[in-house]
Coordinates of all heavy atoms in Angstrom, one line a residue:
M15 N 34.3 68.4 101.3 CA 35.2 69.2 100.5 C 34.6 69.4 99.1 O 34.1 68.5 98.6 CB 36.6 68.6 100.4 CG 37.5 69.3 99.5 SD 39.1 68.6 99.0 CE 39.5 67.4 100.2
V16 N 34.8 70.6 98.6 CA 34.4 70.8 97.2 C 35.3 70.0 96.3 O 36.3 69.6 96.7 CB 34.6 72.4 96.9 CG1 34.3 72.7 95.5 CG2 33.7 73.2 97.8
G17 N 34.8 69.7 95.1 CA 35.6 68.8 94.2 C 37.1 69.0 94.2 O 37.6 70.1 94.2
L18 N 37.8 67.9 94.1 CA 39.2 67.9 94.0 C 39.6 67.0 92.8 O 39.2 65.8 92.8 CB 39.9 67.4 95.3 CG 41.4 67.4 95.3 CD1 41.9 68.8 95.4 CD2 41.9 66.6 96.6
T19 N 40.4 67.5 91.9 CA 41.0 66.7 90.8 C 42.5 66.6 91.0 O 43.2 67.5 91.3 CB 40.7 67.5 89.5 OG1 39.3 67.7 89.3 CG2 41.3 66.7 88.3
I20 N 43.0 65.4 90.9 CA 44.4 65.1 91.0 C 44.9 64.6 89.7 O 44.3 63.7 89.1 CB 44.7 64.1 92.1 CG1 44.3 64.7 93.5 CG2 46.2 63.7 92.1 CD1 44.5 63.8 94.7
T21 N 45.9 65.3 89.2 CA 46.5 64.9 87.9 C 48.0 64.5 88.1 O 48.6 64.9 89.1 CB 46.4 66.1 86.9 OG1 47.1 67.2 87.5 CG2 45.0 66.4 86.6
R22 N 48.5 63.7 87.2 CA 49.9 63.3 87.2 C 50.7 63.9 86.1 O 50.2 63.9 84.9 CB 50.0 61.8 87.2 CG 51.4 61.2 87.2 CD 51.4 59.7 87.0 NE 52.7 59.3 86.7 CZ 53.1 58.0 86.8 NH1 52.3 57.1 87.2 NH2 54.4 57.7 86.6
H23 N 51.8 64.4 86.3 CA 52.7 65.0 85.3 C 54.1 64.5 85.4 O 54.7 64.5 86.5 CB 52.7 66.6 85.5 CG 51.3 67.2 85.6 ND1 50.7 67.7 84.5 CD2 50.5 67.3 86.6 CE1 49.5 68.1 84.8 NE2 49.3 67.9 86.1
E24 N 54.6 63.9 84.3 CA 55.9 63.2 84.3 C 56.9 64.0 83.6 O 56.7 64.8 82.7 CB 55.8 61.9 83.6 CG 55.0 60.9 84.5 CD 55.1 59.5 83.9 OE1 56.3 59.0 83.8 OE2 54.1 58.8 83.7
T25 N 58.2 63.9 84.0 CA 59.4 64.4 83.4 C 60.3 63.2 83.1 O 60.0 62.1 83.5 CB 60.1 65.4 84.2 OG1 60.7 64.8 85.4 CG2 59.2 66.6 84.7
A26 N 61.4 63.5 82.5 CA 62.4 62.4 82.2 C 62.9 61.7 83.5 O 63.3 60.6 83.5 CB 63.5 62.9 81.4
T27 N 63.0 62.5 84.6 CA 63.6 61.9 85.8 C 62.6 61.9 87.0 O 63.0 61.6 88.1 CB 64.8 62.8 86.3 OG1 64.3 64.1 86.5 CG2 65.9 62.8 85.2
G28 N 61.3 62.1 86.8 CA 60.4 62.1 87.9 C 59.1 62.7 87.5 O 58.6 62.5 86.4
G29 N 58.5 63.5 88.4 CA 57.2 64.1 88.1 C 56.6 64.7 89.3 O 57.2 64.8 90.4
E30 N 55.3 64.9 89.2 CA 54.5 65.4 90.3 C 53.0 65.1 90.1 O 52.5 64.9 89.0 CB 54.7 66.9 90.6 CG 54.1 67.8 89.5 CD 54.4 69.2 89.8 OE1 55.2 69.6 90.7 OE2 53.8 70.1 89.1
Y31 N 52.4 65.0 91.3 CA 50.9 64.9 91.3 C 50.5 66.3 91.7 O 51.0 66.9 92.7 CB 50.5 63.8 92.3 CG 50.9 62.4 91.9 CD1 52.1 61.9 92.2 CD2 50.0 61.6 91.2 CE1 52.5 60.6 91.8 CE2 50.3 60.4 90.8 CZ 51.6 59.9 91.1 OH 52.0 58.6 90.7
R32 N 49.4 66.8 91.1 CA 48.9 68.1 91.4 C 47.4 67.9 91.8 O 46.6 67.3 91.1 CB 49.0 69.0 90.2 CG 50.4 69.3 89.8 CD 50.4 70.2 88.6 NE 51.8 70.3 88.0 CZ 52.0 70.6 86.8 NH1 51.1 71.0 85.9 NH2 53.3 70.6 86.4
A33 N 47.1 68.6 92.9 CA 45.7 68.6 93.4 C 45.1 69.9 93.1 O 45.6 71.0 93.5 CB 45.7 68.3 94.9
H34 N 44.0 69.9 92.4 CA 43.3 71.1 91.9 C 41.9 71.2 92.6 O 41.0 70.6 92.2 CB 43.1 71.0 90.4 CG 44.3 70.7 89.6 ND1 45.0 71.6 88.9 CD2 44.8 69.5 89.3 CE1 46.0 71.0 88.3 NE2 45.9 69.7 88.5
P35 N 41.8 71.9 93.7 CA 40.5 72.1 94.3 C 39.6 73.0 93.4 O 40.1 73.9 92.8 CB 40.8 72.9 95.6 CG 42.2 72.9 95.8 CD 42.9 72.6 94.5
A36 N 38.3 72.6 93.3 CA 37.4 73.3 92.4 C 37.2 74.8 92.8 O 36.9 75.6 92.0 CB 36.1 72.6 92.4
D37 N 37.4 75.1 94.1 CA 37.1 76.4 94.6 C 38.3 77.3 94.8 O 38.3 78.3 95.5 CB 36.3 76.4 95.9 CG 37.1 75.7 97.0 OD1 38.1 75.0 96.7 OD2 36.6 75.8 98.2
S38 N 39.5 77.0 94.2 CA 40.7 77.7 94.4 C 41.6 77.6 93.2 O 41.6 76.6 92.5 CB 41.4 77.2 95.7 OG 42.6 77.9 95.9
E39 N 42.5 78.6 93.1 CA 43.5 78.6 92.0 C 44.8 77.9 92.6 O 45.7 77.6 91.8 CB 43.8 80.0 91.6 CG 42.7 80.7 90.9 CD 42.4 80.1 89.5 OE1 43.3 79.7 88.8 OE2 41.2 79.9 89.3
A40 N 44.9 77.8 93.9 CA 46.0 77.2 94.5 C 46.1 75.7 94.2 O 45.1 75.0 94.0 CB 46.0 77.4 96.0
L41 N 47.3 75.2 94.1 CA 47.5 73.7 93.9 C 48.3 73.1 95.0 O 49.3 73.6 95.5 CB 48.3 73.6 92.6 CG 47.7 74.1 91.3 CD1 48.7 73.9 90.1 CD2 46.4 73.3 91.0
G42 N 47.9 71.9 95.3 CA 48.8 71.0 96.2 C 49.7 70.2 95.3 O 49.3 69.9 94.2
Q43 N 50.8 69.8 95.8 CA 51.8 69.1 94.9 C 52.5 68.0 95.8 O 52.8 68.2 96.9 CB 52.9 70.0 94.4 CG 52.4 71.1 93.5 CD 53.5 72.0 93.1 OE1 54.0 72.8 94.0 NE2 54.0 72.0 91.9
L44 N 52.7 66.9 95.1 CA 53.6 65.8 95.6 C 54.6 65.6 94.5 O 54.2 65.1 93.4 CB 52.8 64.5 95.9 CG 53.6 63.4 96.6 CD1 52.6 62.4 97.2 CD2 54.5 62.7 95.7
T45 N 55.9 65.9 94.8 CA 56.9 65.6 93.7 C 57.6 64.3 94.0 O 57.8 63.9 95.1 CB 57.9 66.8 93.7 OG1 58.6 66.9 94.9 CG2 57.2 68.1 93.4
W46 N 58.1 63.7 92.9 CA 58.8 62.5 93.0 C 59.9 62.4 91.9 O 59.8 63.1 90.9 CB 57.9 61.3 92.9 CG 57.1 61.2 91.6 CD1 55.9 61.8 91.4 CD2 57.5 60.6 90.4 NE1 55.5 61.6 90.1 CE2 56.4 60.8 89.5 CE3 58.5 59.8 90.0 CZ2 56.4 60.3 88.2 CZ3 58.6 59.3 88.7 CH2 57.5 59.5 87.8
T47 N 60.9 61.7 92.2 CA 62.0 61.4 91.3 C 62.2 59.9 91.2 O 61.9 59.2 92.1 CB 63.3 62.1 91.7 OG1 63.7 61.6 93.0 CG2 63.3 63.6 91.7
T48 N 62.7 59.4 90.0 CA 63.0 58.0 89.9 C 64.4 57.7 90.6 O 65.2 58.6 90.6 CB 63.1 57.5 88.5 OG1 63.9 58.4 87.7 CG2 61.7 57.6 87.8
Q49 N 64.5 56.6 91.1 CA 65.7 56.2 91.8 C 66.8 55.9 90.7 O 66.5 55.2 89.8 CB 65.5 55.0 92.7 CG 66.7 54.6 93.5 CD 66.4 53.4 94.4 OE1 65.7 52.5 94.0 NE2 67.0 53.4 95.5
P50 N 68.0 56.5 90.8 CA 69.0 56.3 89.8 C 69.3 54.8 89.6 O 69.5 54.1 90.6 CB 70.2 57.0 90.3 CG 69.6 58.1 91.2 CD 68.4 57.5 91.8
G51 N 69.2 54.3 88.4 CA 69.5 52.9 88.1 C 68.3 52.0 88.3 O 68.4 50.8 88.0
N52 N 67.2 52.5 88.9 CA 66.0 51.7 89.1 C 64.8 52.5 88.9 O 64.2 53.0 89.9 CB 66.1 51.1 90.5 CG 65.0 50.1 90.8 OD1 64.1 49.9 89.9 ND2 65.0 49.5 91.9
P53 N 64.3 52.7 87.7 CA 63.1 53.5 87.4 C 61.8 53.0 87.9 O 60.8 53.6 87.9 CB 63.1 53.6 85.9 CG 63.8 52.4 85.4 CD 64.9 52.1 86.5
T54 N 61.8 51.7 88.5 CA 60.6 51.2 89.1 C 60.4 51.6 90.5 O 59.5 51.2 91.2 CB 60.5 49.7 89.0 OG1 61.6 49.1 89.7 CG2 60.6 49.2 87.5
V55 N 61.4 52.5 91.0 CA 61.2 53.0 92.4 C 61.1 54.5 92.2 O 61.9 55.2 91.6 CB 62.4 52.7 93.3 CG1 62.3 53.4 94.6 CG2 62.5 51.2 93.5
H56 N 60.0 55.1 92.7 CA 59.7 56.5 92.7 C 59.9 57.0 94.1 O 59.3 56.6 95.1 CB 58.3 56.8 92.3 CG 58.0 56.4 90.8 ND1 56.9 56.7 90.2 CD2 58.8 55.7 89.9 CE1 56.9 56.3 88.9 NE2 58.1 55.6 88.8
R57 N 60.8 58.0 94.3 CA 61.1 58.6 95.6 C 60.2 59.8 95.8 O 60.3 60.8 95.0 CB 62.6 59.0 95.6 CG 63.5 57.9 95.4 CD 65.0 58.2 95.5 NE 65.3 59.3 94.5 CZ 66.5 59.7 94.3 NH1 67.5 59.3 95.0 NH2 66.7 60.6 93.4
A58 N 59.4 59.7 96.8 CA 58.4 60.8 97.1 C 59.2 61.8 97.9 O 59.5 61.7 99.1 CB 57.3 60.2 97.9
D59 N 59.6 62.9 97.2 CA 60.5 63.9 97.7 C 59.8 65.0 98.6 O 60.4 65.4 99.6 CB 61.2 64.7 96.6 CG 62.0 63.7 95.7 OD1 62.6 62.8 96.3 OD2 62.0 63.9 94.5
L60 N 58.6 65.5 98.2 CA 58.0 66.6 98.8 C 56.5 66.7 98.6 O 56.0 66.4 97.5 CB 58.6 67.9 98.2 CG 58.1 69.3 98.7 CD1 58.5 69.5 100.2 CD2 58.6 70.4 97.9
V61 N 55.8 67.0 99.7 CA 54.4 67.3 99.6 C 54.2 68.7 100.1 O 54.7 69.1 101.1 CB 53.5 66.3 100.5 CG1 52.1 66.8 100.5 CG2 53.7 64.9 100.1
L62 N 53.6 69.5 99.2 CA 53.4 70.9 99.5 C 51.9 71.3 99.3 O 51.4 71.1 98.2 CB 54.3 71.8 98.6 CG 54.2 73.3 98.7 CD1 54.6 73.7 100.1 CD2 55.0 74.0 97.7
V63 N 51.3 71.8 100.3 CA 49.9 72.3 100.2 C 49.9 73.7 100.7 O 50.2 73.9 101.9 CB 48.9 71.4 101.0 CG1 47.5 71.9 100.9 CG2 49.0 70.0 100.4
P64 N 49.6 74.7 99.9 CA 49.6 76.1 100.3 C 48.5 76.3 101.4 O 47.5 75.6 101.5 CB 49.2 76.9 99.1 CG 49.5 76.0 97.9 CD 49.4 74.6 98.5
S65 N 48.8 77.2 102.3 CA 48.0 77.5 103.5 C 46.5 77.8 103.1 O 45.6 77.4 103.8 CB 48.5 78.6 104.4 OG 48.6 79.8 103.6
E66 N 46.3 78.4 101.9 CA 45.0 78.8 101.6 C 44.1 77.6 101.2 O 42.8 77.7 101.2 CB 44.9 79.8 100.4 CG 45.6 79.4 99.1 CD 47.0 79.9 99.0 OE1 47.7 80.0 100.0 OE2 47.4 80.1 97.9
I67 N 44.7 76.5 101.0 CA 43.9 75.2 100.8 C 44.2 74.2 101.8 O 43.8 73.0 101.7 CB 44.0 74.7 99.3 CG1 45.5 74.4 99.0 CG2 43.4 75.7 98.3 CD1 45.6 73.7 97.7
G68 N 44.9 74.5 102.8 CA 45.3 73.6 103.9 C 44.1 73.1 104.7 O 43.1 73.8 104.7
G69 N 44.3 72.1 105.5 CA 43.3 71.6 106.4 C 42.2 70.9 105.7 O 41.1 70.7 106.4
R70 N 42.3 70.5 104.5 CA 41.2 69.8 103.8 C 41.5 68.4 103.5 O 40.8 67.7 102.8 CB 41.0 70.5 102.4 CG 40.6 72.0 102.5 CD 40.4 72.5 101.1 NE 40.1 73.9 101.1 CZ 39.6 74.5 100.0 NH1 39.4 73.9 98.9 NH2 39.4 75.8 100.1
G71 N 42.7 67.9 103.9 CA 43.1 66.5 103.6 C 43.7 66.3 102.3 O 43.8 65.2 101.8
I72 N 44.1 67.4 101.6 CA 44.7 67.3 100.3 C 46.0 66.6 100.3 O 46.2 65.8 99.4 CB 44.8 68.8 99.7 CG1 43.4 69.3 99.4 CG2 45.6 68.8 98.4 CD1 43.4 70.8 99.0
A73 N 46.9 66.8 101.2 CA 48.1 66.1 101.3 C 47.9 64.6 101.3 O 48.6 63.8 100.6 CB 49.0 66.5 102.5
G74 N 47.0 64.1 102.1 CA 46.7 62.7 102.2 C 46.1 62.2 100.9 O 46.5 61.1 100.5
R75 N 45.3 63.0 100.2 CA 44.7 62.5 98.9 C 45.8 62.4 97.9 O 45.8 61.5 97.0 CB 43.7 63.5 98.5 CG 42.4 63.6 99.4 CD 41.4 62.5 99.1 NE 40.9 62.5 97.8 CZ 39.9 63.3 97.3 NH1 39.3 64.1 98.1 NH2 39.5 63.2 96.0
L76 N 46.8 63.3 97.9 CA 48.0 63.2 97.0 C 48.7 61.9 97.2 O 49.1 61.2 96.2 CB 48.9 64.4 97.2 CG 48.4 65.7 96.6 CD1 49.2 66.9 97.1 CD2 48.5 65.7 95.1
V77 N 49.0 61.5 98.5 CA 49.7 60.3 98.7 C 48.9 59.1 98.3 O 49.4 58.1 97.7 CB 50.1 60.2 100.2 CG1 50.8 58.9 100.5 CG2 51.0 61.4 100.6
E78 N 47.6 59.1 98.6 CA 46.7 58.1 98.2 C 46.7 57.9 96.6 O 46.7 56.8 96.1 CB 45.3 58.3 98.6 CG 45.0 58.2 100.1 CD 43.7 58.7 100.6 OE1 42.9 59.2 99.8 OE2 43.4 58.7 101.8
A79 N 46.8 59.0 95.9 CA 46.8 58.9 94.5 C 48.1 58.2 94.0 O 48.1 57.4 93.1 CB 46.7 60.3 93.9
M80 N 49.2 58.6 94.6 CA 50.5 57.9 94.3 C 50.5 56.5 94.6 O 50.9 55.6 93.8 CB 51.6 58.6 95.0 CG 53.0 58.1 94.5 SD 54.3 59.0 95.3 CE 55.7 58.6 94.1
V81 N 49.9 56.1 95.7 CA 49.8 54.7 96.1 C 48.9 53.9 95.1 O 49.3 52.8 94.6 CB 49.3 54.5 97.5 CG1 48.9 53.0 97.8 CG2 50.3 55.0 98.5
A82 N 47.8 54.5 94.7 CA 46.9 53.8 93.7 C 47.6 53.7 92.4 O 47.6 52.6 91.7 CB 45.6 54.6 93.6
D83 N 48.4 54.7 92.0 CA 49.1 54.7 90.8 C 50.2 53.7 90.8 O 50.5 53.0 89.8 CB 49.7 56.1 90.5 CG 50.0 56.4 89.1 OD1 49.5 55.7 88.2 OD2 50.8 57.3 88.8
A84 N 50.9 53.5 91.9 CA 51.9 52.5 92.1 C 51.4 51.1 91.9 O 52.0 50.3 91.2 CB 52.6 52.6 93.4
R85 N 50.2 50.9 92.5 CA 49.6 49.5 92.3 C 49.2 49.3 90.9 O 49.4 48.2 90.3 CB 48.4 49.4 93.2 CG 48.8 49.3 94.7 CD 47.7 49.2 95.6 NE 48.1 48.9 97.0 CZ 47.5 49.3 98.0 NH1 46.4 50.0 97.9 NH2 48.0 49.0 99.2
E86 N 48.7 50.3 90.2 CA 48.2 50.1 88.8 C 49.3 50.0 87.8 O 49.3 49.3 86.9 CB 47.3 51.3 88.5 CG 46.7 51.2 87.1 CD 45.7 52.3 86.8 OE1 45.1 52.8 87.7 OE2 45.7 52.7 85.6
N87 N 50.4 50.8 88.1 CA 51.5 50.8 87.1 C 52.8 50.1 87.6 O 53.8 50.2 87.0 CB 51.9 52.3 86.8 CG 50.7 52.9 86.1 OD1 50.4 52.5 84.9 ND2 50.0 53.9 86.7
H88 N 52.7 49.3 88.6 CA 53.7 48.4 89.1 C 55.1 49.1 89.4 O 56.1 48.7 88.9 CB 53.9 47.3 88.1 CG 52.6 46.6 87.7 ND1 51.9 45.8 88.6 CD2 51.9 46.7 86.6 CE1 50.8 45.4 88.0 NE2 50.7 45.9 86.8
F89 N 55.0 50.1 90.2 CA 56.2 50.7 90.7 C 56.1 50.7 92.3 O 55.1 50.5 92.8 CB 56.5 52.1 90.1 CG 55.6 53.2 90.4 CD1 55.6 53.9 91.6 CD2 54.6 53.5 89.5 CE1 54.7 54.9 91.9 CE2 53.7 54.6 89.8 CZ 53.7 55.3 91.0
R90 N 57.3 51.0 92.9 CA 57.3 51.1 94.4 C 57.7 52.5 94.8 O 58.3 53.2 94.0 CB 58.3 50.0 94.9 CG 57.8 48.6 94.6 CD 58.8 47.5 94.9 NE 59.0 47.4 96.3 CZ 58.2 46.7 97.2 NH1 57.1 46.2 96.8 NH2 58.5 46.6 98.5
I91 N 57.3 52.8 96.0 CA 57.5 54.2 96.5 C 58.5 54.2 97.6 O 58.4 53.4 98.6 CB 56.1 54.8 97.0 CG1 55.1 54.8 95.9 CG2 56.4 56.2 97.6 CD1 53.7 55.1 96.4
Q92 N 59.5 55.1 97.5 CA 60.4 55.3 98.6 C 60.1 56.6 99.3 O 60.3 57.6 98.7 CB 61.9 55.3 98.1 CG 62.9 55.5 99.2 CD 64.3 55.6 98.6 OE1 64.5 55.8 97.4 NE2 65.3 55.5 99.5
P93 N 59.5 56.5 100.5 CA 59.1 57.8 101.1 C 60.3 58.5 101.6 O 61.1 58.0 102.4 CB 58.3 57.3 102.3 CG 57.9 55.9 102.0 CD 59.0 55.3 101.2
L94 N 60.5 59.7 101.2 CA 61.6 60.6 101.7 C 61.1 61.8 102.4 O 61.6 62.2 103.4 CB 62.5 61.1 100.5 CG 63.2 60.0 99.7 CD1 64.1 60.6 98.6 CD2 64.1 59.1 100.6
C95 N 60.0 62.3 101.9 CA 59.3 63.5 102.6 C 58.7 63.0 103.9 O 58.2 61.9 104.0 CB 58.2 64.0 101.7 SG 57.0 65.1 102.5
S96 N 58.9 63.8 105.0 CA 58.4 63.4 106.3 C 56.9 63.1 106.3 O 56.5 62.2 107.0 CB 58.8 64.4 107.3 OG 58.2 65.7 107.0
Y97 N 56.1 63.9 105.5 CA 54.7 63.6 105.5 C 54.4 62.2 104.9 O 53.6 61.5 105.4 CB 54.0 64.7 104.7 CG 52.5 64.5 104.7 CD1 51.7 65.0 105.7 CD2 51.8 63.7 103.8 CE1 50.3 64.7 105.8 CE2 50.5 63.4 103.8 CZ 49.7 63.9 104.8 OH 48.4 63.7 104.9
V98 N 55.1 61.9 103.8 CA 54.9 60.6 103.2 C 55.4 59.4 104.1 O 54.7 58.4 104.2 CB 55.5 60.5 101.8 CG1 55.3 59.2 101.2 CG2 55.0 61.6 100.9
V99 N 56.5 59.7 104.8 CA 56.9 58.7 105.8 C 55.9 58.4 106.8 O 55.5 57.3 107.2 CB 58.3 59.1 106.5 CG1 58.6 58.2 107.6 CG2 59.4 59.1 105.4
A100 N 55.3 59.5 107.4 CA 54.2 59.4 108.4 C 53.0 58.7 107.8 O 52.3 57.9 108.5 CB 53.9 60.7 109.0
A101 N 52.6 59.0 106.6 CA 51.4 58.4 106.0 C 51.6 56.9 105.8 O 50.7 56.2 106.1 CB 51.2 59.1 104.6
F102 N 52.8 56.5 105.4 CA 53.0 55.1 105.3 C 53.0 54.4 106.7 O 52.5 53.3 106.8 CB 54.4 54.8 104.6 CG 54.2 54.6 103.1 CD1 54.2 55.7 102.3 CD2 54.1 53.4 102.5 CE1 54.0 55.6 100.9 CE2 53.9 53.2 101.1 CZ 53.9 54.3 100.3
A103 N 53.5 55.1 107.7 CA 53.4 54.5 109.0 C 52.0 54.3 109.5 O 51.6 53.4 110.2 CB 54.2 55.4 110.0
R104 N 51.1 55.2 109.1 CA 49.7 55.2 109.5 C 48.9 54.1 108.6 O 47.8 53.8 109.0 CB 49.0 56.5 109.3 CG 49.3 57.5 110.3 CD 48.4 58.8 110.3 NE 48.4 59.4 108.9 CZ 49.2 60.3 108.4 NH1 50.2 60.7 109.2 NH2 49.1 60.8 107.2
H105 N 49.4 53.7 107.5 CA 48.7 52.8 106.6 C 49.6 51.6 106.3 O 50.2 51.5 105.2 CB 48.4 53.5 105.3 CG 47.4 54.6 105.5 ND1 46.0 54.4 105.5 CD2 47.6 56.0 105.6 CE1 45.4 55.5 105.7 NE2 46.3 56.5 105.8
P106 N 49.6 50.6 107.2 CA 50.4 49.4 107.0 C 49.9 48.6 105.7 O 50.7 47.9 105.1 CB 50.3 48.6 108.2 CG 49.1 49.2 108.9 CD 49.0 50.6 108.5
E107 N 48.7 48.9 105.3 CA 48.2 48.2 104.1 C 48.9 48.7 102.8 O 48.7 48.1 101.7 CB 46.7 48.4 104.0 CG 46.2 49.8 103.7 CD 46.0 50.7 104.9 OE1 46.6 50.4 106.0 OE2 45.4 51.7 104.7
W108 N 49.7 49.7 102.9 CA 50.4 50.2 101.7 C 51.8 49.5 101.6 O 52.6 49.8 100.7 CB 50.6 51.7 101.8 CG 49.4 52.5 101.7 CD1 48.1 52.1 101.4 CD2 49.2 53.9 101.9 NE1 47.2 53.1 101.4 CE2 47.9 54.3 101.7 CE3 50.1 54.9 102.3 CZ2 47.4 55.6 101.9 CZ3 49.7 56.2 102.5 CH2 48.3 56.5 102.2
A109 N 52.1 48.6 102.5 CA 53.4 48.0 102.5 C 53.8 47.3 101.2 O 55.0 47.2 100.8 CB 53.5 46.9 103.6
D110 N 52.8 46.9 100.4 CA 53.1 46.2 99.2 C 53.7 47.2 98.1 O 54.3 46.7 97.2 CB 51.8 45.6 98.6 CG 50.7 46.7 98.3 OD1 50.4 47.5 99.1 OD2 50.1 46.6 97.2
V111 N 53.6 48.5 98.3 CA 54.2 49.4 97.3 C 55.4 50.2 97.9 O 55.9 51.0 97.3 CB 53.1 50.4 96.7 CG1 52.1 49.6 95.9 CG2 52.5 51.2 97.8
K112 N 55.7 49.9 99.1 CA 56.8 50.6 99.8 C 58.2 50.0 99.4 O 58.3 48.8 99.5 CB 56.7 50.6 101.3 CG 57.7 51.4 102.0 CD 57.5 51.5 103.5 CE 58.6 52.3 104.1 NZ 58.5 52.2 105.6
A113 N 59.1 50.8 98.9 CA 60.4 50.4 98.5 C 61.3 50.3 99.8 O 61.2 51.1 100.7 CB 61.0 51.3 97.5

């Protein structure tokens, strides 16, 4: 795959990870919200990768970025999006960050 940059963008109640492929204007996204009353749990709400950049493993890289970020910044992930649920099922080694 041509270069891929993933950035994190936060809001008061959540945020998103954005995947920027070097060869496209399209962006992949993984959105999350904080759990009410528990800001150390980030709920992974939605993974969206437009068809023009699909099939490159971008969705998986977005989830990997969130997992790495959770380990570094000491939060846990509650998978709500079906893609994230399936990714956690495929990676039992991520259990340490699953809420």
